[in-house]
Amino acid sequence: LRGRIEQLEPVPCEGVVAQALSQPADAVRLAVRWCAVGGWIAIPGAERPPMPGPVDGVREEASLRYEVPLSGIRRTLWLGRRQHSA
């Protein structure tokens, strides 16, 4: 581990997975710093999908449902796309 997300200098990239950070809207706001304009932010969720609501600079793209292979556990994935500099 390199440290806490809010304490590290961000290196923007094309895809960010915001997992186990905080409430969905807060997770997206933290992930925006790490996501390049046009890049994707993903939030994995349990059977009920994470719903971050509106976050400046991020457009919701999809909320997907799937089953984990072999176990059949139902999971979700929220996807947003970075629109502009926040």
Side-chain angles (χ1 to χ4, degrees), residues 5-81:
I5 189 173
E6 62 272 15
Q7 296 173 339
L8 295 172
E9 188 64 35
V11 179
C13 57
E14 295 296 316
V16 176
V17 178
Q19 186 168 356
L21 292 173
S22 59
Q23 294 299 314
D26 294 333
V28 172
R29 280 190 280 276
L30 286 169
V32 164
R33 298 177 47 222
W34 292 82
C35 189
V37 173
W40 295 91
I41 297 172
I43 304 176
E47 192 167 345
R48 184 173 178 219
M51 302 300 285
V55 174
D56 187 44
V58 179
R59 181 180 71 224
E60 181 176 349
E61 291 287 332
S63 186
L64 308 172
R65 296 179 183 278
Y66 65 96
E67 285 189 15
V68 177
L70 303 178
S71 72
I73 295 172
R74 294 180 184 165
R75 305 287 295 171
T76 57
L77 184 67
W78 179 91
L79 294 172
R81 183 162 266 194

